[in-house]
Amino acid sequence: MTDTSYDTDVLVVGAGPVGLTLALDLARRDVRVRMVDRAPGTFPGSRAKGIQPRTLEVFDDLGIVDEAIAAGGAYPPVGAHLGPVTIPWRMFRHQDPTPQTPYPNVLLLPQSRTTDILRRAVQRHHVPVEFGTEVVEVCQDDLGATAVLASGQQIRARYLVGADGGASVVRKSSDLRFEGTTDDTDKMIIVDATIDGLSRDRWHMWRRTGGFVGACPLPHSPQFQVMIRLLSEENPDLSEPALAAQFRDLVGGSVTLRDVTWASIFRPNVRLVEQYRRGRIMVCGDAAHVHTPAGAQGLNTGVQDAYNLGWKLGQVLAGASEALLDSYGGERRPVAAQVLGRSSELYEGLRRPRASKFTRSDEDRQLTISYHGGPLAPADSLRTTTLRVGDRAPDGPVMGQSARLFDLYRGPHFTLLGFGEQAVATLPSLSWAKRGAPLTRVAVTEDRGSDGVLAQTYGITEDTQLLIRPDGYIAHIATADWAASLAFSIRDLAPTNQEFAG
């Protein structure tokens, strides 16, 4: 039933990759969602251009990974220019796909293309982006939240999410402290432009006193993303003639920078919001945490914020306890704090560039993020030989089916895996709420403890059931008492006070 006192169930403020991810996840759950953005249209620049493997897995679940891979490309090797000598090395160590990790490498994909892909997916769910719609204030009561627009109009929603960037109006209106620092003396120019006389087979880097200059070729385009870390006394001029002259003076040689399509001045903020939720209002992405540009972490962390929040909002709107929304910040804030530290470490390396300071680690791929020990994954939960409650659920082939696990996980549902005869036999009779995210039951036919890839990956040595959350993390592990164990584990995840289905 539609309550006419609300204009929508969820209002998302901000239509960048983070807000679009949230809107897409909500729309596929049949949640009424509106998106507003004060900008006149989609952001045009390449700014955050690295898509980490874990985010590619999110895109797989959302049905857009093939489009993203087609629009992007592999990161080229770095070419460090030291006078007449160019020293090659790889910032990102290439890894071959495995059954557990089908997307092991970071994807070079300009932010504008990521945004366009997500926006088209949202529009396929008939959710328009209301550009040119500025929110100037938000407020809330016990039953919902209200956004006041610059036009004087108001939008009433059950929940409101701020994905409106580092200067978030939603965060400021909600009196959420944004703790950290901004160094106004540290500035960097980021430019999208064509460069004549520069090869496209390298991510070019040049040292300069106190900083560096970089030019990374963008895929399927004649453009480069140019980064110039400025000296504290420099006053940047973003006109094309000035940028062309500055670039030529810094790198030397017969190179010509032209056809600038986007230019911006970046000042490193390192900030983290005190809490992700206050009542009916939540923040995600840059509205919750801002990073240095190093390491391709900020956009990815924000997308995964939205991915964590989407299914929880859907469950609460279907009748689950509002306490589930508290787990959003409980799980995501520690991740953001860790990422802030890592990106700051990488950015500091730009002061005195060395290969070791630019090389990326497995940590940066964000595949090792775990919610174990958090509000939904107690530290004393049962575990297998390889996985704990709260860990990422790996991919793998499913014997007897022409599918892999990610195919079965794809969609807005929970997935219950049964390994072994007894675990499989009870799958059909286990109760699940009729409302909210449905349950997909999967009987794994390979013998437990065998040479099967899936049993080894999931550490199965006895009859076992594993419940996988809609965002691809393990919610529950049981080796006996199947019905009681599952009911206990989902008491905070599923809608209550309603009929259940076997």
Side-chain angles (χ1 to χ4, degrees):
M1 296 180 62
T2 300
D3 188 336
T4 56
S5 62
Y6 296 96
D7 299 299
T8 188
D9 289 327
V10 180
L11 175 64
V12 179
V13 182
V18 175
L20 288 164
T21 298
L22 178 59
L24 178 56
D25 197 24
L26 292 171
R28 68 177 182 161
R29 300 174 191 283
D30 296 322
V31 172
R32 291 190 306 155
V33 58
R34 283 182 66 176
M35 292 198 73
V36 298
D37 196 298
R38 68 177 183 176
T42 301
F43 173 76
S46 67
R47 187 163 52 197
K49 62 185 183 300
I51 305 298
Q52 296 292 346
R54 180 56 189 156
T55 303
L56 290 173
E57 295 181 352
V58 174
F59 287 176
D60 184 319
D61 180 44
L62 296 175
I64 59 173
V65 70
D66 290 340
E67 191 175 357
I69 291 173
Y75 268 83
V78 171
H81 298 274
L82 300 175
V85 178
T86 301
I87 301 175
W89 87 85
R90 285 200 171 272
M91 182 181 293
F92 301 95
R93 180 170 58 90
H94 177 81
Q95 301 188 37
D96 293 328
T98 67
Q100 300 81 9
T101 307
Y103 313 109
N105 300 300
V106 65
L107 178 72
L108 178 59
L109 183 66
Q111 182 173 328
S112 58
R113 294 186 208 169
T114 302
T115 305
D116 286 343
I117 291 167
L118 284 162
R119 179 174 49 81
R120 288 193 294 269
V122 167
Q123 290 175 335
R124 287 194 290 271
H125 284 269
H126 310 290
V127 178
V129 178
E130 300 174 40
F131 288 115
T133 305
E134 182 179 3
V135 173
V136 296
E137 184 182 2
V138 300
C139 56
Q140 63 174 310
D141 52 43
D142 291 341
L143 299 177
T146 302
V148 180
L149 306 182
S151 65
Q153 295 178 302
Q154 297 184 358
I155 301 175
R156 176 74 170 167
R158 295 180 187 274
Y159 295 96
L160 187 151
V161 181
D164 50 340
S168 172
V169 170
V170 173
R171 185 191 65 244
K172 293 175 180 177
S173 291
S174 303
D175 294 325
L176 293 170
R177 292 198 306 274
F178 206 31
E179 300 164 341
T181 61
T182 301
D183 186 351
D184 289 324
T185 66
D186 189 356
K187 299 184 290 292
M188 179 181 291
I189 296 174
I190 306 178
V191 178
D192 291 346
T194 300
I195 302 175
D196 297 327
L198 197 62
S199 66
R200 297 188 56 81
D201 62 346
R202 291 285 185 271
W203 183 345
H204 300 271
M205 292 188 181
W206 299 263
R207 288 187 60 174
R208 66 175 307 206
T209 302
F212 89 114
V213 179
C216 180
L218 300 177
H220 313 300
S221 166
Q223 289 193 314
F224 289 77
Q225 185 193 74
V226 177
M227 303 176 73
I228 304 173
R229 191 167 187 179
L230 301 173
L231 308 181
S232 58
E233 66 273 12
E234 286 184 286
N235 294 313
D237 182 343
L238 298 186
S239 67
E240 184 169 312
L243 289 170
Q246 182 180 26
F247 185 76
R248 185 171 54 251
D249 290 345
L250 287 171
V251 307
S254 55
V255 296
T256 301
L257 184 148
R258 60 180 176 83
D259 296 340
V260 173
T261 58
W262 173 74
S264 179
I265 299 172
F266 171 82
R267 291 177 175 82
N269 283 305
V270 180
R271 294 183 180 274
L272 181 61
V273 72
E274 60 173 335
Q275 62 191 76
Y276 278 46
R277 177 194 178 207
R278 177 159 290 167
R280 296 277 173 154
I281 295 174
M282 284 139 280
V283 290
C284 57
D286 285 356
H289 45 82
V290 288
H291 310 247
T292 75
Q297 299 293 296
L299 179 148
N300 293 275
T301 303
V303 164
Q304 291 168 54
D305 287 345
Y307 192 53
N308 181 288
L309 177 59
W311 72 269
K312 295 175 180 178
L313 274 171
Q315 289 295 86
V316 170
L317 286 164
S321 168
E322 278 210 5
L324 182 58
L325 295 178
D326 290 329
S327 72
Y328 162 58
E331 290 186 333
R332 292 304 301 168
R333 193 176 186 278
V335 172
Q338 182 177 1
V339 169
L340 281 171
R342 174 61 176 161
S343 66
S344 297
E345 175 189 345
L346 292 170
Y347 186 74
E348 186 62 26
L350 299 180
R351 294 185 185 274
R352 300 180 64 183
R354 297 194 304 273
S356 61
K357 293 294 185 180
F358 285 104
T359 302
R360 303 299 184 245
S361 68
D362 284 347
E363 175 188 357
D364 301 319
R365 300 191 302 157
Q366 301 196 350
L367 293 170
T368 58
I369 289 172
S370 176
Y371 301 134
H372 183 70
L376 299 181
D380 60 355
S381 301
L382 197 63
R383 61 172 298 164
T384 71
T385 61
T386 59
L387 295 170
R388 307 165 300 175
V389 173
D391 287 351
R392 164 188 169 268
D395 197 6
V398 183
M399 291 182 64
Q401 301 188 39
S402 57
R404 57 191 179 108
L405 280 179
F406 278 10
D407 295 329
L408 302 177
Y409 295 162
R410 189 178 301 116
H413 55 264
F414 286 82
T415 305
L416 185 62
L417 304 178
F419 290 84
E421 183 177 348
Q422 293 182 14
V424 168
T426 62
L427 286 177
S429 62
L430 294 174
S431 296
W432 192 259
K434 287 185 176 180
R435 295 180 60 194
L439 178 68
T440 296
R441 305 159 201 254
V442 178
V444 181
T445 57
E446 66 182 18
D447 293 335
R448 56 180 170 78
S450 72
D451 293 332
V453 172
L454 200 56
Q456 289 190 0
T457 298
Y458 276 73
I460 305 300
T461 58
E462 58 185 317
D463 284 26
T464 305
Q465 289 181 353
L466 295 96
L467 180 67
I468 311 304
R469 298 171 11 171
D471 60 351
Y473 290 85
I474 298 172
H476 160 74
I477 299 173
T479 56
D481 300 325
W482 316 109
S485 177
L486 180 64
F488 181 79
S489 289
I490 67 171
R491 69 193 188 282
D492 296 325
L493 305 181
T496 56
N497 300 321
Q498 58 174 286
E499 293 183 12
F500 285 75

Coordinates of all heavy atoms in Angstrom, one line a residue, residues 49 75-83 85-89 91 108 195-207 212-218 222-228 247 251-252 255 350 353 358:
K49 N 39.4 7.2 -11.2 CA 39.5 6.4 -12.4 C 39.8 4.9 -12.2 O 39.9 4.1 -13.1 CB 40.5 6.9 -13.4 CG 41.9 7.0 -12.9 CD 42.9 7.7 -13.8 CE 44.3 7.6 -13.4 NZ 44.5 8.3 -12.1
Y75 N 45.4 -0.9 -16.5 CA 46.3 0.1 -16.2 C 47.6 -0.2 -16.9 O 48.1 -1.3 -16.9 CB 46.6 0.2 -14.7 CG 45.7 1.1 -14.0 CD1 44.4 0.7 -13.5 CD2 46.1 2.4 -13.7 CE1 43.6 1.6 -12.9 CE2 45.3 3.3 -13.0 CZ 44.0 2.9 -12.6 OH 43.2 3.8 -11.9
P76 N 48.2 0.8 -17.6 CA 49.4 0.6 -18.3 C 50.6 0.6 -17.3 O 50.4 1.1 -16.2 CB 49.5 1.9 -19.2 CG 48.8 2.9 -18.5 CD 47.6 2.2 -17.8
P77 N 51.7 0.1 -17.7 CA 52.9 0.2 -16.8 C 53.3 1.6 -16.6 O 53.1 2.5 -17.5 CB 53.9 -0.7 -17.5 CG 53.5 -0.7 -18.9 CD 52.0 -0.6 -18.9
V78 N 54.0 1.9 -15.5 CA 54.5 3.2 -15.2 C 55.8 3.4 -16.0 O 56.6 2.5 -16.1 CB 54.7 3.5 -13.7 CG1 55.4 4.8 -13.5 CG2 53.3 3.4 -13.0
G79 N 56.0 4.6 -16.5 CA 57.3 5.0 -17.1 C 57.8 6.2 -16.3 O 57.2 7.3 -16.4
A80 N 58.8 6.0 -15.4 CA 59.3 7.1 -14.6 C 60.4 7.8 -15.4 O 61.5 7.2 -15.6 CB 59.8 6.6 -13.3
H81 N 60.2 9.1 -15.7 CA 61.2 9.8 -16.4 C 62.2 10.5 -15.5 O 61.9 11.3 -14.7 CB 60.5 10.9 -17.3 CG 59.6 10.3 -18.3 ND1 60.0 9.9 -19.5 CD2 58.2 10.1 -18.2 CE1 58.9 9.5 -20.2 NE2 57.9 9.6 -19.4
L82 N 63.5 10.1 -15.6 CA 64.6 10.7 -14.9 C 65.6 11.2 -15.9 O 66.5 10.5 -16.3 CB 65.2 9.6 -13.9 CG 64.3 9.0 -12.9 CD1 65.0 7.9 -12.1 CD2 63.8 10.1 -11.9
G83 N 65.4 12.5 -16.2 CA 66.3 13.0 -17.3 C 66.0 12.3 -18.6 O 64.9 12.1 -19.0
V85 N 66.5 9.2 -19.1 CA 66.2 7.8 -18.8 C 64.8 7.6 -18.4 O 64.2 8.4 -17.6 CB 67.2 7.3 -17.8 CG1 66.9 5.8 -17.4 CG2 68.6 7.4 -18.2
T86 N 64.1 6.6 -18.9 CA 62.8 6.2 -18.5 C 62.8 4.8 -17.9 O 63.3 3.8 -18.5 CB 61.8 6.1 -19.7 OG1 61.8 7.4 -20.3 CG2 60.4 5.8 -19.2
I87 N 62.4 4.7 -16.6 CA 62.5 3.5 -15.8 C 61.0 2.9 -15.8 O 60.1 3.5 -15.3 CB 63.0 3.7 -14.4 CG1 64.4 4.3 -14.5 CG2 63.0 2.5 -13.6 CD1 64.9 4.7 -13.1
P88 N 60.9 1.7 -16.3 CA 59.5 1.1 -16.3 C 59.3 0.3 -15.0 O 60.2 -0.3 -14.5 CB 59.6 0.2 -17.5 CG 61.0 -0.3 -17.6 CD 61.8 0.9 -17.1
W89 N 58.1 0.2 -14.5 CA 57.7 -0.7 -13.5 C 56.1 -0.8 -13.5 O 55.5 0.1 -14.1 CB 58.2 -0.4 -12.1 CG 57.4 0.5 -11.3 CD1 56.4 0.2 -10.5 CD2 57.6 1.9 -11.2 NE1 55.9 1.3 -9.8 CE2 56.7 2.4 -10.2 CE3 58.5 2.9 -11.7 CZ2 56.6 3.8 -9.9 CZ3 58.4 4.2 -11.4 CH2 57.5 4.6 -10.4
M91 N 52.8 -0.6 -11.4 CA 52.1 -0.1 -10.2 C 51.2 -1.2 -9.7 O 51.1 -1.5 -8.5 CB 51.4 1.2 -10.4 CG 50.7 1.7 -9.1 SD 49.8 3.2 -9.5 CE 51.1 4.4 -9.9
L108 N 40.9 0.4 -15.2 CA 41.0 1.8 -15.5 C 39.7 2.3 -16.2 O 39.5 1.9 -17.3 CB 42.2 2.0 -16.4 CG 42.5 3.5 -16.8 CD1 42.7 4.4 -15.6 CD2 43.7 3.5 -17.7
I195 N 47.3 15.1 -25.4 CA 48.8 15.5 -25.3 C 49.4 14.9 -26.6 O 49.5 13.7 -26.8 CB 49.5 14.9 -24.1 CG1 48.8 15.4 -22.8 CG2 50.9 15.4 -24.1 CD1 49.4 14.9 -21.5
D196 N 49.9 15.8 -27.4 CA 50.6 15.4 -28.6 C 52.1 15.2 -28.2 O 52.7 15.9 -27.4 CB 50.6 16.5 -29.7 CG 49.1 16.8 -30.2 OD1 48.4 15.8 -30.2 OD2 48.8 17.9 -30.5
G197 N 52.7 14.2 -28.8 CA 54.1 13.9 -28.6 C 54.4 13.0 -27.4 O 55.6 12.9 -27.0
L198 N 53.4 12.4 -26.8 CA 53.5 11.6 -25.6 C 52.9 10.2 -25.9 O 51.8 10.1 -26.3 CB 52.9 12.2 -24.4 CG 53.3 11.7 -23.0 CD1 54.8 11.9 -22.8 CD2 52.4 12.3 -21.9
S199 N 53.7 9.1 -25.7 CA 53.3 7.8 -26.0 C 52.1 7.4 -25.1 O 52.1 7.8 -23.9 CB 54.4 6.8 -25.9 OG 54.8 6.7 -24.6
R200 N 51.3 6.5 -25.6 CA 50.1 6.1 -24.8 C 50.3 4.7 -24.2 O 49.3 4.1 -23.7 CB 48.8 6.1 -25.7 CG 48.5 7.5 -26.2 CD 47.1 7.5 -26.9 NE 46.1 7.0 -26.0 CZ 45.4 7.7 -25.1 NH1 45.8 9.0 -24.9 NH2 44.5 7.1 -24.3
D201 N 51.5 4.2 -24.2 CA 51.7 2.8 -23.6 C 52.3 2.9 -22.2 O 52.7 1.9 -21.7 CB 52.7 2.1 -24.5 CG 54.1 2.8 -24.6 OD1 54.2 3.9 -24.2 OD2 55.0 2.1 -25.1
R202 N 52.3 4.1 -21.6 CA 52.8 4.2 -20.3 C 52.0 5.2 -19.5 O 51.4 6.1 -20.0 CB 54.3 4.8 -20.3 CG 55.3 3.8 -20.9 CD 55.7 2.8 -19.9 NE 56.8 1.9 -20.3 CZ 56.6 0.8 -21.0 NH1 55.4 0.4 -21.4 NH2 57.6 0.0 -21.3
W203 N 52.0 5.0 -18.2 CA 51.5 6.1 -17.3 C 52.8 6.9 -16.9 O 53.6 6.5 -16.1 CB 50.9 5.4 -16.0 CG 50.4 6.4 -15.0 CD1 50.6 7.7 -15.0 CD2 49.5 6.1 -13.9 NE1 49.9 8.3 -13.9 CE2 49.2 7.3 -13.3 CE3 49.0 4.9 -13.4 CZ2 48.4 7.3 -12.1 CZ3 48.1 4.9 -12.3 CH2 47.9 6.1 -11.7
H204 N 53.0 8.0 -17.6 CA 54.2 8.8 -17.5 C 54.2 9.5 -16.1 O 53.2 10.1 -15.7 CB 54.3 9.8 -18.6 CG 54.2 9.2 -19.9 ND1 55.4 8.8 -20.6 CD2 53.2 8.9 -20.8 CE1 55.1 8.3 -21.8 NE2 53.8 8.3 -21.9
M205 N 55.4 9.5 -15.5 CA 55.6 10.3 -14.3 C 57.0 11.0 -14.3 O 58.0 10.4 -14.8 CB 55.6 9.3 -13.1 CG 54.2 8.8 -12.8 SD 54.1 7.9 -11.2 CE 52.4 7.3 -11.3
W206 N 57.0 12.2 -13.8 CA 58.2 13.0 -13.7 C 58.3 13.6 -12.3 O 57.3 14.0 -11.7 CB 58.1 14.2 -14.6 CG 58.0 13.9 -16.1 CD1 59.0 13.8 -17.0 CD2 56.8 13.7 -16.8 NE1 58.6 13.5 -18.2 CE2 57.2 13.4 -18.2 CE3 55.5 13.6 -16.5 CZ2 56.3 13.2 -19.2 CZ3 54.5 13.3 -17.5 CH2 54.9 13.1 -18.8
R207 N 59.5 13.5 -11.7 CA 59.7 14.1 -10.4 C 59.9 15.6 -10.6 O 60.4 16.1 -11.5 CB 60.9 13.5 -9.8 CG 60.8 12.1 -9.3 CD 62.0 11.6 -8.5 NE 62.2 12.4 -7.3 CZ 63.1 12.2 -6.4 NH1 63.9 11.1 -6.6 NH2 63.3 13.0 -5.4
F212 N 55.2 15.9 -8.0 CA 55.4 15.1 -9.2 C 54.4 15.6 -10.2 O 53.5 16.4 -10.0 CB 55.2 13.6 -8.9 CG 53.8 13.2 -9.0 CD1 53.4 12.3 -10.0 CD2 52.8 13.6 -8.1 CE1 52.1 11.9 -10.1 CE2 51.5 13.2 -8.2 CZ 51.1 12.3 -9.2
V213 N 54.7 15.1 -11.5 CA 53.7 15.3 -12.6 C 53.4 13.9 -13.1 O 54.3 13.1 -13.3 CB 54.4 16.2 -13.7 CG1 53.4 16.4 -14.8 CG2 54.8 17.5 -13.1
G214 N 52.2 13.7 -13.4 CA 51.8 12.4 -14.0 C 50.8 12.6 -15.2 O 50.1 13.6 -15.2
A215 N 50.9 11.7 -16.1 CA 50.0 11.7 -17.3 C 49.6 10.2 -17.6 O 50.4 9.5 -18.1 CB 50.6 12.3 -18.5
C216 N 48.3 9.9 -17.3 CA 47.9 8.5 -17.5 C 46.9 8.5 -18.7 O 45.9 9.2 -18.7 CB 47.1 8.0 -16.2 SG 46.5 6.4 -16.4
P217 N 47.2 7.7 -19.7 CA 46.3 7.6 -20.9 C 45.0 6.9 -20.5 O 45.0 5.9 -19.8 CB 47.1 6.7 -21.8 CG 48.0 5.9 -21.0 CD 48.4 6.7 -19.8
L218 N 43.9 7.5 -20.9 CA 42.6 7.0 -20.6 C 42.1 6.1 -21.7 O 42.4 6.4 -22.9 CB 41.6 8.2 -20.5 CG 41.9 9.2 -19.3 CD1 40.9 10.3 -19.3 CD2 42.0 8.5 -18.0
P222 N 41.6 9.6 -26.9 CA 42.9 10.2 -27.1 C 43.4 11.0 -25.9 O 44.5 11.5 -25.9 CB 42.6 11.2 -28.3 CG 41.2 11.6 -28.1 CD 40.5 10.4 -27.5
Q223 N 42.6 11.0 -24.8 CA 43.0 11.9 -23.7 C 43.9 11.2 -22.6 O 44.0 10.0 -22.6 CB 41.7 12.3 -23.0 CG 40.9 13.3 -23.7 CD 39.8 14.0 -22.8 OE1 39.1 13.3 -22.1 NE2 39.7 15.3 -22.9
F224 N 44.5 12.0 -21.9 CA 45.2 11.6 -20.7 C 44.6 12.3 -19.5 O 44.0 13.4 -19.6 CB 46.7 12.1 -20.7 CG 47.6 11.4 -21.7 CD1 47.5 11.7 -23.1 CD2 48.5 10.5 -21.3 CE1 48.3 11.1 -24.0 CE2 49.3 9.8 -22.2 CZ 49.2 10.1 -23.5
Q225 N 44.7 11.7 -18.3 CA 44.4 12.4 -17.0 C 45.8 12.9 -16.6 O 46.7 12.1 -16.3 CB 43.8 11.5 -16.0 CG 43.5 12.3 -14.7 CD 43.1 11.4 -13.5 OE1 44.0 10.8 -12.9 NE2 41.8 11.3 -13.2
V226 N 45.9 14.2 -16.4 CA 47.2 14.8 -16.0 C 47.0 15.3 -14.6 O 46.0 15.9 -14.2 CB 47.5 16.0 -16.9 CG1 48.8 16.7 -16.4 CG2 47.6 15.6 -18.4
M227 N 48.0 15.0 -13.8 CA 48.1 15.4 -12.4 C 49.4 16.1 -12.1 O 50.5 15.7 -12.5 CB 48.0 14.2 -11.4 CG 46.8 13.3 -11.6 SD 46.8 11.8 -10.6 CE 46.4 12.5 -9.0
I228 N 49.3 17.3 -11.6 CA 50.4 18.2 -11.2 C 50.3 18.6 -9.8 O 49.4 19.3 -9.4 CB 50.5 19.4 -12.1 CG1 50.5 19.1 -13.6 CG2 51.7 20.3 -11.7 CD1 50.4 20.3 -14.5
F247 N 52.7 22.6 -18.3 CA 53.0 21.2 -18.6 C 54.3 21.1 -19.4 O 55.2 20.3 -19.1 CB 51.8 20.5 -19.3 CG 52.0 19.0 -19.4 CD1 51.9 18.1 -18.4 CD2 52.3 18.5 -20.7 CE1 52.1 16.8 -18.5 CE2 52.5 17.1 -20.9 CZ 52.4 16.3 -19.8
V251 N 57.7 19.1 -18.0 CA 58.2 17.8 -18.5 C 59.2 17.9 -19.6 O 59.9 17.0 -20.0 CB 57.0 17.0 -19.0 CG1 55.9 16.9 -17.9 CG2 56.4 17.5 -20.3
G252 N 59.3 19.1 -20.3 CA 60.3 19.3 -21.3 C 59.9 18.5 -22.6 O 58.8 18.0 -22.7
V255 N 56.3 18.3 -26.4 CA 54.9 17.8 -26.1 C 54.0 19.0 -26.1 O 54.3 20.1 -25.7 CB 54.8 17.1 -24.7 CG1 55.7 15.8 -24.8 CG2 55.3 18.0 -23.6
L350 N 53.9 10.6 -2.8 CA 54.1 11.5 -3.9 C 55.1 12.6 -3.7 O 55.5 13.2 -4.6 CB 52.7 12.0 -4.3 CG 51.6 11.0 -4.7 CD1 50.3 11.8 -5.1 CD2 52.1 10.2 -5.9
P353 N 58.7 10.6 -5.0 CA 58.2 9.4 -5.7 C 59.3 8.3 -5.8 O 60.5 8.6 -6.2 CB 57.8 9.9 -7.0 CG 57.6 11.4 -6.8 CD 58.5 11.8 -5.8
F358 N 54.6 3.7 -4.9 CA 53.5 3.6 -5.9 C 52.9 2.2 -6.0 O 51.8 2.1 -6.5 CB 54.0 4.2 -7.2 CG 54.1 5.7 -7.3 CD1 55.4 6.2 -7.2 CD2 53.0 6.5 -7.3 CE1 55.6 7.6 -7.3 CE2 53.2 7.9 -7.4 CZ 54.4 8.4 -7.3

